[in-house]
Every structure is written in C-alpha cells, then in structure tokens.
Amino acid sequence: MSPASITIPTIDITPLLTPTSTRVQRQEVAVALLQAFTVYGVFYITSPSHPVFTSASSAKILDATTRLFDLNPSQKNQIPKIQPGGFTRGYVPIGGESGSQTKELKEGFSYGYEWPAHELEAKQHRNEFNGLQGPNAWPDKETLKELDQPPQQQQQQQQQGGAVAAAAPAPVEADLFKATLQRFYLDVCEVAKGLLQGISLALALEEGELAKYCTTSETISFMRLFHYLPYADPEQKHAAQIGSSAHTDWGFLTLILSPSKTVGLQLFHDNAWHDVPSLENTLVVNGGDYLSLLTGGRLISPLHRVVSNGQQERYSMCCFYYPDYDAKIPLLVEDEVSGQAASGSYSLLRDQRAEDTEETGHDGDAESAKSVATKLLNGDINFGDYIVSKWTQVYRKGGY
Ligand SMILES: O=C(O)CCC(=O)C(=O)O
Ligand SMILES: [Fe+2]
C-alpha cells in the first residue's frame, strides 16, 4: 500500500542565483526555505533560467548515466573503485556499499571536481590532497571513447549490429562524456552555493555566513550517479532488500535529480514513508546532518530511503555538497538545542557498520552520538576527517 500523500513544496530560487535580485526577493525565498526545512527537511527547487533546470540538461546527464551503467561488467570492473579510508571517487559495485546490514541493490559512480592536469600534478607533488579531494577515477581510455559517442550514432550502430553507420555519422566529440558529467556537477554546485545564501538569511545570519565555511566546496563535494535495480523478489518487503537503506545524509546539502521518473525516493514523515516523486525541471534538496546539528536541530535532516516498485530500474544523480575539509563550525544559532540535535538521531553520529534497517534505523547508542556531536561543535574534530570515517563505515567489502 502506498503511503498517504503529503505536499512537499517547490521553491523558485531564482533570486538566489541572480546577482541583480533585491534583498527583499531573496528574503522571500529564505522564508520559504525556512518553512520547508522546519516542516520536512526536503523540498523541490527550480529556477527556469538556470541550465540545470532544463529538460536538455536532464536528458544529457541521463543519457551519459545510462550508457555508463550499460557498459559490460568487465569494462565497469576496470574503473577504480571507491576505497575505505577515503578515496570516495570511482565505481560502486552492487553490494559495495550499504548504510545497514541489508544489501543495497544499486551500483554507482562517484566523481567530483576535475582538476586541470597541471594543478593536479602540482597538488599531488606537494601532497596537498586528502581523503575527499583528489583525482577523479574514470573508465579507461577505450571505454571513455565509447562513451563519447553521441546518442544518435550509438543507435545507428546498434541497428547495424555494431557496424559504423555508412551515412554521415555524427562527429565524436573528444571527452564529451567527461565534459557532460563535469558541466552537470559544476552547475549543481552553483545552485548549492546560491542555496547557502538563502539558508543564511533564513537563519537570520549575514548572507555570506555559510559560504565562509564553503570556500573549497566545489573541490570536496561530489556527484554520485546511481542505478537502482528492481528487487530480485518483488514479494519481499523492503527490510529484506532495499535500494538505499533508511538514513539521513551527513553533510550540508544533498541535491538530487531523478530524470528516470521511477518513484523510489521516500521520506519518513509523521511516522510513515511517503513517496517523493521526481518533478520535471526541479531538483530535490535534502538538508544534511551537519547543517542540522549546527542549527541546533532547527533545520531538519530528513530520514529517507530508496525503494523499488519491484519492476523498474531507477537512475538518480545525487550531489553531496560539503563545507571545507578542515571546517570546524560552531553552533550557528543562539536558541536552545532541540529536535534532532537534542536526540542525536543523525546517521552522521551513529555507527552504520552494524545498523539494521528497522524502519527509522535510529536505535543506536545515544550517548556516543552525543559525544561525537560535542566534538564536532567544539572543533575537536574537523568535518573532513570525520566524513572520511563515515564513508568507511558504509563501505562493504562483499561487493568486490
Ligand atoms: O537516489 C536517490 O534518490 C537518493 C539516494 C540517497 O539518499 C543517498 O545516496 O544518500
Ligand atoms: Fe541520502
């Protein structure tokens, strides 16, 4: 039975992405953000004039994503895989990751900022990278060439049993695949940066307050392309198999595109799971645990999961937008710590190696959650080191 429907708001954030907007216009968006963040922690955003909210952009990234996951298993296995202890770029094989003890029926590809070659070399030479910042892990050259082919030419090839089309094949644009992924990533980061301004206003802080902690976000955050598989046994419940286990996201903001239209993302609200369907030309935004913690629980970091309807595949593109690696951010609000922050019910603060998938997934040790929260807020540990340890917790060797 489907969960009862709720109304998750759609917010037009154009004033946050337009340098000529007025403070009043930005303030109006901030009011809407605050409302959505304090009721659900999830909302849709749009901005008709920004490239990321166009059908053309969605079609491009969906095409690149499906072609990547359509590669044969040996090609995918040649892509370097995500590693425990950082580094978080590369291929995520089926079963290679889980936020609980349940196997997650998804494969993924994680990538982020593509450093210009000379900068990459210099930074490697000076040992300036960390567990979140560093080179992307791409498929090998031959596979990239295959992925660079424009969709039309691919179709012709398929129709002709693999032979190159005789009549005027569309030219292959070198690095088209990488460029498509990179353009999408940078566009989404730009949107996230705009949101930071609106959230600062929503918290009655200086407009630039949150951005002060996000000076290198573009090179630390990353995009994860996901391919969710139908359940092997559609009759079984989500406790036995899942797309993504019930969890809260750990960082600042998660921005999700799911152009494949298959429902899968669900929000836990008022003691029930609710579908979060994808809407044309919008992104879904989730607040993250660290942002929620820093606001004393005022902004909700929503509990969510991805399930399968049993039959259809699903594709999504999720950007995990983070503050600086060495960020040590004090509590941003003066009011009482309440809600989630008081109960410590964040995936960020719990050990996910052993966590089971019981509905809320929040039965962990409240005392240790509190002590991690205190360390983060006191600056005893920085954001980056802690997040690297979290990625290690959800890494599953069984997927290899
Ligand atoms: O694929 C999605 O829609 C959401 C995935 C998700 O929640 C996550 O990876 O943290
Ligand atoms: Fe998530």
Side-chain angles (χ1 to χ4, degrees):
M1 204 178 71
S2 305
S5 70
I6 50 172
T7 307
I8 297 172
T10 300
I11 304 173
D12 185 337
I13 61 160
T14 301
L16 303 179
L17 303 175
T18 313
T20 52
S21 64
T22 63
R23 168 109 183 175
V24 171
Q25 289 169 325
R26 296 194 294 281
Q27 194 69 50
E28 271 170 16
V29 179
V31 169
L33 288 175
L34 186 63
Q35 167 78 5
F37 255 124
T38 49
V39 176
Y40 297 115
V42 172
F43 47 91
Y44 297 96
I45 53 167
T46 190
S47 180
S49 51
H50 191 279
V52 93
F53 301 102
T54 61
S55 309
S57 166
S58 298
K60 258 192 201 163
I61 191 69
L62 178 61
D63 177 66
T65 301
T66 48
R67 273 190 281 150
L68 176 71
F69 292 122
D70 280 349
L71 290 172
N72 64 51
S74 70
Q75 286 172 305
K76 286 191 270 195
N77 272 319
Q78 275 174 356
I79 306 172
K81 298 182 181 89
I82 49 156
Q83 297 296 322
F87 200 69
T88 47
R89 309 283 152 86
Y91 183 55
V92 186
I94 296 166
E97 199 173 271
S98 179
S100 73
Q101 288 173 351
T102 306
K103 184 172 172 179
E104 295 187 347
L105 296 173
K106 69 177 187 198
E107 58 179 336
F109 179 73
S110 189
Y111 73 95
Y113 183 75
E114 181 73 357
W115 296 87
H118 63 280
E119 246 182 274
L120 181 68
E121 219 171 280
K123 284 208 164 263
Q124 278 170 327
H125 186 69
R126 294 196 299 263
N127 217 3
E128 281 179 0
F129 283 138
N130 53 48
L132 295 175
Q133 273 175 314
N136 282 313
W138 296 109
D140 62 33
K141 277 209 175 85
E142 279 310 302
T143 307
L144 278 174
K145 242 197 244 163
E146 197 177 312
L147 292 167
D148 282 342
Q149 293 183 52
Q152 198 191 354
Q153 191 178 349
Q154 279 229 328
Q155 273 171 20
Q156 286 170 342
Q157 281 196 5
Q158 274 160 12
Q159 281 160 9
Q160 299 184 8
V164 176
V172 173
E173 190 184 322
D175 282 338
L176 177 68
F177 176 79
K178 281 163 109 177
T180 302
L181 266 58
Q182 196 55 205
R183 182 71 269 148
F184 182 68
Y185 172 69
L186 293 176
D187 283 348
V188 175
C189 281
E190 189 176 79
V191 169
K193 217 185 277 174
L195 275 174
L196 289 181
Q197 196 186 10
I199 299 166
S200 300
L201 275 179
L203 295 168
L205 302 168
E206 288 292 324
E207 276 186 273
E209 183 64 20
L210 287 176
K212 276 196 337 207
Y213 302 105
C214 298
T215 59
T216 55
S217 290
E218 219 167 61
T219 63
I220 264 184
S221 308
F222 46 91
M223 183 70 73
R224 310 192 94 207
L225 309 178
F226 286 125
H227 174 211
Y228 295 94
L229 292 101
Y231 289 169
D233 179 358
E235 296 306 311
Q236 279 192 333
K237 290 262 181 294
H238 305 312
Q241 46 194 347
I242 195 93
S244 183
S245 317
H247 66 282
T248 53
D249 290 346
W250 310 321
F252 250 33
L253 295 168
T254 310
L255 298 93
I256 305 168
L257 175 74
S258 178
S260 61
K261 301 284 179 294
T262 311
V263 171
L265 180 63
Q266 292 189 329
L267 164 72
F268 195 72
H269 180 77
D270 268 353
N271 269 326
W273 288 104
H274 302 266
D275 286 336
V276 183
S278 58
L279 304 181
E280 196 89 23
N281 301 335
T282 67
L283 296 178
V284 171
V285 177
N286 281 348
D289 293 340
Y290 193 44
L291 182 64
S292 178
L293 182 69
L294 294 172
T295 62
R298 218 203 290 179
L299 305 189
I300 294 174
S301 174
L303 186 67
H304 58 283
R305 67 180 185 182
V306 178
V307 298
S308 167
N309 64 6
Q311 293 111 42
Q312 279 160 300
E313 297 168 281
R314 175 174 188 267
Y315 296 93
S316 69
M317 299 86 201
C318 305
C319 177
F320 294 88
Y321 192 75
Y322 288 160
D324 296 338
Y325 190 95
D326 54 7
K328 292 177 172 178
I329 312 175
L331 200 62
L332 293 167
V333 293
E334 282 171 14
D335 25 336
E336 289 255 308
V337 170
S338 60
Q340 272 183 306
S343 67
S345 64
Y346 297 118
S347 294
L348 178 75
L349 307 177
R350 325 189 80 87
D351 187 339
Q352 290 179 280
R353 280 171 298 192
E355 200 157 83
D356 67 27
T357 179
E358 281 307 312
E359 289 294 273
T360 64
H362 279 158
D363 300 317
D365 177 352
E367 265 323 293
S368 68
K370 247 185 221 155
S371 87
V372 179
T374 308
K375 279 186 197 156
L376 279 166
L377 289 171
N378 285 351
D380 299 333
I381 40 179
N382 69 29
F383 173 79
D385 288 343
Y386 190 68
I387 287 294
V388 167
S389 77
K390 290 300 296 180
W391 283 108
T392 304
Q393 279 177 13
V394 297
Y395 168 87
R396 296 288 182 269
K397 200 160 189 285
Y400 291 73

